[in-house]
Amino acid sequence: MAGGFISRGFRGRRHDPEFADRTPPGQYLTRDFPVLSAGPTPRTRLDTWDLRITGEVEAERRWSWNEFRALPVENITVDIHCVTKWSKLDTSWEGVSIDTLLEGIEHSGEYLIAHCDGGYTTNLPLEDVTGGKAWIAFNYDGEPLHPEHGGPARLLVPHLYFWKSAKWVRRLELVSEDQPGFWESLGYHNYGDPWQEQRYWND
Ligand SMILES: Nc1nc2c(c(=O)[nH]1)N[C@H]1C(S)=C(S)[C@@H](COP(=O)(O)O)O[C@H]1N2
Ligand SMILES: [Mo]
């Protein structure tokens, strides 16, 4: 009975014009939170975890988990869009803004390459991760981010396809020349705007 109620409500929601406006072309809405990982889930202990900023910087920065968690936190409620065509509305996160991490860092970077435990990488223009557009998220729905979803901490860049939101992120490399990341070098679009349907190289 409860299930029937939920799916009726959900069908109603999918056809609601407000939600249709928030669904990029070719996407469908889901209430699940699918897991998409190119390899096994790495498990890094918090006492060895760190986050670093490297690359074309005057001085590298490093935060231990405790130092990272002492930084100012933001609550973020956003829609997310996976290139495999699911979109999920109103996901709620807590995280540290990339603006906060970059504060006071002298650098000549134009692009950011996110490096993750397990070797995954993804590339983003710096202007797409600054100005309140991206975070390192550590909580989802009020709970510590589950390892399958990138815990202890992942990049969250909701305005681009979700493969740009690198799970298990450990290092942000600032570079002046763009370099395609893992999926970008396998044929996915270099930028990945869901509203322009930039799924693959030639889109
Ligand atoms: N490190 C890492 N980050 C990753 C991936 C991955 O395989 N490894 N997959 C990406 C892809 S393709 C998507 S759609 C989202 C999926 O996040 P989720 O599993 O939390 O839904 O994570 C992205 N970040
Ligand atoms: Mo994806």
Side-chain angles (χ1 to χ4, degrees), residues 132-146:
K133 295 197 283 288
W135 298 266
I136 304 289
F138 54 85
N139 274 6
Y140 175 79
D141 240 357
E143 305 280 339
L145 185 57
H146 200 271

Side-chain angles (χ1 to χ4, degrees), residues 6-151:
I6 288 165
S7 63
R8 261 202 310 285
F10 186 41
R11 257 197 300 281
R13 195 179 190 218
R14 289 178 75 158
H15 296 289
D16 184 316
E18 186 204 332
F19 297 116
D21 283 354
R22 288 165 63 185
T23 311
Q27 298 289 111
Y28 67 88
L29 297 183
T30 183
R31 282 192 167 170
D32 301 335
F33 195 171
V35 171
L36 283 105
S37 303
T41 296
R43 302 195 183 238
T44 302
R45 293 163 45 132
L46 293 185
D47 58 4
T48 56
W49 185 93
D50 64 2
L51 178 68
R52 291 191 296 140
I53 295 186
T54 66
E56 296 168 35
V57 293
E58 204 168 67
E60 294 192 355
R61 290 295 310 269
R62 176 186 178 272
W63 294 269
S64 68
W65 178 257
N66 289 337
E67 289 164 346
F68 169 71
R69 289 294 288 102
L71 295 170
V73 169
E74 295 178 18
N75 288 292
I76 309 126
T77 300
V78 287
D79 303 341
I80 55 177
H81 312 290
C82 174
V83 74
T84 63
K85 302 203 168 178
W86 56 268
S87 288
K88 188 170 171 59
L89 303 183
D90 293 321
T91 61
S92 77
W93 309 78
E94 281 169 71
V96 175
S97 167
I98 304 298
D99 299 310
T100 300
L101 296 172
L102 292 180
E103 242 166 57
I105 297 185
E106 295 284 334
H107 69 85
S108 54
E110 303 276 347
Y111 300 89
L112 180 149
I113 316 292
H115 297 264
C116 305
D117 282 327
Y120 185 89
T121 57
T122 191
N123 57 315
L124 299 125
L126 202 53
E127 60 179 32
D128 283 86
V129 295
T130 50
K133 295 197 283 288
W135 298 266
I136 304 289
F138 54 85
N139 274 6
Y140 175 79
D141 240 357
E143 305 280 339
L145 185 57
H146 200 271
E148 274 73 20
H149 286 299

Side-chain angles (χ1 to χ4, degrees), residues 176-197:
S176 54
E177 289 203 30
D178 199 12
Q179 303 163 20
F182 178 79
W183 285 120
E184 294 83 1
S185 52
L186 289 172
Y188 283 82
H189 199 278
N190 195 53
Y191 183 65
D193 179 350
W195 295 97
Q196 305 293 322
E197 260 201 287

